Amino acid sequence: MLGPSRPCPAATAGHGRHRPAPAAGRRRARPATAIAVGVILVLAGCATPPSSGPTGATTTPSAPEPTAAARTYPPGWAEVDVTFATGAGTASGTVVRPTQSGASLPGALVIAGSGPTDRNGDQSGFVTGTLRAVSQMLARAGVVSLRYDKLGSGATGAGTVTDPATVTVDTYADQARAALRTLAGSTGVDPARLVVVGHSEGSLFAQILATQPASDGPRPARLALLMPLALRYLDLIATQITAQLVAATALGRLGTEQAATIRAQLDAAVAATRAGTPAPELDPTIAPLSAPANAAFLRTADALDPVALARATPAGVPVLVVCGTDDVQVDCADAAVLAGAVPSGAGRLVQVRGVSHVLKVDDSGNPGRYTAPLPYSGQVERSLRDALTWP
């Protein structure tokens, strides 16, 4: 949503899932994180052996990483600010392209994750620089990019929206469509070689663009889903909160009876949101689920199943899915299902090690380090470059 109605602080930024580890090859016991509406119980993290990803997927091994200072745009590439019209007002963004005209190049639209996230992947008081880093990776691969301030952030602001309760998933999808049209019409971009790169929740909108009718505007020729949303929205929220309740109870920070009450309220809130009826009174820890400002977005976002969207991907559209075995917010098992649902085997799963949800080199499993001045992953960059190389 807009502003404080969908807060996304350091401990809750982006999207993901925390599930119990399987009996064999147990994953790291990670601190559970909540998403979307700022629902969070304060838990202590715990350290355990490194995690392992699902079988049958490519796992990129650890490798020396360039320093943060070395990660810049290549010579002759620069940022250009742009604006474009959307149904909710004028949006602001940045195109990264060569300063000298030449042959048309592939173009990539970069879409942010949850919350009021701007073109660089940042929120007020929470700076990660993730999307700017992705644009730099794309430029080094010879791909023009456009990233933009999501509605509710940066220079875009609230636009023409006066009531956050009217904002739905379609509001953000409309913004993404307008951005893709802008990219397709940009100087030096080959409209036949469009890519959409979605980070976290942004992957859902990448999938929407890939499966939209041709009458809605250009469709991408390829997708790159980085640390993607792979479950229905409310299922994801419920799974994360349940994991937090289990952990808090085990730590003695929450009584068994209180945890059971919250869990029952959670189930009731999910059912009410899906039915479009008022949610019951909730414990303060999960109260944002019943906030009127969140209801329309949660209901419409939850109606979309990322796996079903993957199955609907047009034939011939390759889909790169990148997950991190040390990401506390996205489970590689879910990402594997997402990649496997793409028709004709066109989905490719790449697991990266020692990389956090915000694409930085960090195996700590600590979301509090998202804003630390760490280098961005060369493993992710190599995966992007390999996936976006045209014959």
Side-chain angles (χ1 to χ4, degrees):
M1 294 304 222
L2 300 176
S5 61
R6 287 183 65 214
C8 191
T12 64
H15 289 280
R17 180 183 188 183
H18 179 89
R19 65 163 68 178
R26 280 181 114 41
R27 295 188 183 94
R28 172 194 309 227
R30 299 171 176 177
T33 53
I35 65 167
V37 292
V39 180
I40 184 167
L41 302 175
V42 180
L43 307 176
C46 48
T48 62
S51 60
S52 59
T55 59
T58 301
T59 301
T60 305
S62 299
E65 299 285 349
T67 64
R71 296 193 167 284
T72 58
Y73 296 119
W77 287 66
E79 295 185 340
V80 179
D81 289 340
V82 297
T83 58
F84 53 92
T86 77
T90 300
S92 297
T94 296
V95 172
V96 178
R97 64 189 183 203
T99 54
Q100 300 296 322
S101 60
S104 293
L105 298 173
L109 175 63
V110 182
I111 305 180
S114 66
T117 306
D118 70 16
R119 72 190 76 185
N120 293 328
D122 303 333
Q123 298 180 27
S124 177
F126 181 63
V127 177
T128 68
T130 299
L131 300 191
R132 187 169 192 270
V134 169
S135 291
Q136 292 171 344
M137 294 176 189
L138 292 167
R140 288 191 289 269
V143 179
V144 176
S145 67
L146 167 61
R147 61 189 196 273
Y148 59 92
D149 295 332
K150 246 177 99 174
L151 189 64
S153 74
T156 298
T160 59
V161 175
T162 58
D163 181 4
T166 64
V167 175
T168 69
V169 74
D170 287 338
T171 309
Y172 294 104
D174 173 76
Q175 191 178 30
R177 291 187 189 99
L180 189 60
R181 287 193 295 269
T182 300
L183 175 66
S186 295
T187 301
V189 171
D190 180 355
R193 293 187 289 170
L194 296 177
V195 181
V196 178
V197 181
H199 175 245
S200 195
E201 181 195 274
S203 64
L204 180 66
F205 296 99
Q207 291 184 286
I208 290 172
L209 292 178
T211 56
Q212 69 183 5
S215 58
D216 284 349
R219 290 195 296 193
R222 299 186 182 189
L223 296 183
L225 312 181
L226 308 180
M227 314 303 191
L229 175 68
L231 301 173
R232 285 181 63 184
Y233 224 90
L234 291 174
D235 288 341
L236 195 60
I237 292 174
T239 300
Q240 286 196 329
I241 295 175
T242 299
Q244 292 182 69
L245 293 172
V246 170
T249 302
L251 290 168
R253 298 189 176 189
L254 195 66
T256 302
E257 184 175 342
Q258 185 184 4
T261 298
I262 295 174
R263 176 66 225 213
Q265 291 179 355
L266 173 62
D267 290 342
V270 168
T273 300
R274 286 177 169 165
T277 58
E281 184 176 350
L282 302 178
D283 185 278
T285 55
I286 60 172
L289 283 174
S290 64
N294 291 327
F297 176 82
L298 288 175
R299 185 178 64 257
T300 55
D302 177 73
L304 299 172
D305 181 354
V307 175
L309 287 173
R311 294 193 188 103
T313 304
V317 175
V319 179
L320 169 68
V321 178
V322 177
C323 69
T325 60
D326 294 284
D327 181 357
V328 299
Q329 296 186 243
V330 168
D331 193 316
C332 275
D334 296 328
V337 173
L338 188 68
V342 179
S344 305
R348 178 189 173 208
L349 176 70
V350 174
Q351 300 174 82
V352 294
R353 297 188 183 279
V355 179
S356 72
H357 189 70
V358 295
L359 311 184
K360 291 182 178 180
V361 179
D362 181 14
D363 63 359
S364 70
N366 179 7
R369 289 169 56 86
Y370 285 176
T371 59
L374 301 170
Y376 298 96
S377 172
Q379 303 171 53
V380 173
E381 179 165 356
R382 287 190 292 274
S383 298
L384 272 176
R385 182 192 61 218
D386 293 345
L388 302 184
T389 300
W390 265 267

